[in-house]
Amino acid sequence: MTTSLDRRLAAVLALPLALTLAGCADREGGPQEGTDVPASERPAEPTPEPATTPPTPAAPTPAASSGRPPLSATDLPTLRPPTGPPRHPTDQLKPNVLAGRISHGGGGPCYTLVTDDGQEHGLYGRDKGTWPAGTWVRVTVGPAPEGVECGPGRPLGLLRIERVA
């Protein structure tokens, strides 16, 4: 990596020197000083060439210093501002997680949960604590145990319950 960078730098710096030497070689091919050349055949006095500064190599970009090309030469795309509120819920909850209000609670093992969209769920879970009606909770549910009826709505087994402020 370093040797290729050194070689490029040497080539860039050697270019003005090579051009200068090429210009001198052309002048040396003409008549030498001190020889008799008629004035009509003598070339006009050379005009001084403007001083050229050797080109300075551009500072390497971070991607170039690692030897790899940059990932992209274009800017990253950006999202446009929203035109209005979302039409569907944007929270990606797992299908076995529900949130809502306990409408029929107590010490269990049966509870009734009403979600924000008005759906009722009959939850069955042993040793889940006392949850009074009106408490907002988030529950993790599973399949309902067979032969158990816990009120109106879709029967589900209660795996976990936690209060939501």
Side-chain angles (χ1 to χ4, degrees):
M1 226 163 59
T2 306
T3 57
S4 65
L5 184 60
D6 291 341
R7 287 181 186 172
R8 282 189 242 161
L9 182 59
V12 168
L13 294 176
L15 183 62
L17 178 62
L19 292 175
T20 304
L21 291 177
C24 291
D26 186 37
R27 289 185 192 141
E28 290 175 5
Q32 301 291 325
E33 277 189 41
T35 60
D36 267 345
V37 176
S40 61
E41 293 181 15
R42 284 188 196 159
E45 286 294 318
T47 58
E49 295 178 22
T52 60
T53 58
T56 57
T61 61
S65 67
S66 67
R68 291 180 288 184
L71 295 177
S72 175
T74 60
D75 290 332
L76 294 174
T78 57
L79 296 175
R80 292 178 289 188
T83 57
R87 292 187 181 108
H88 304 287
T90 57
D91 294 340
Q92 299 297 320
L93 295 177
K94 296 178 184 175
N96 64 338
V97 176
L98 301 172
R101 183 180 50 83
I102 299 287
S103 64
H104 176 357
C110 288
Y111 310 93
T112 302
L113 177 75
V114 178
T115 58
D116 289 341
D117 57 3
Q119 292 184 351
E120 284 187 311
H121 303 278
L123 308 176
Y124 176 82
R126 291 191 179 275
D127 303 323
K128 301 300 179 194
T130 301
W131 297 94
T135 305
W136 290 91
V137 295
R138 179 181 303 128
V139 295
T140 304
V141 295
E146 289 191 32
V148 176
E149 185 70 33
C150 277
R154 187 172 111 190
L156 294 170
L158 181 59
L159 304 174
R160 183 174 165 203
I161 185 168
E162 61 184 336
R163 183 183 309 272
V164 177

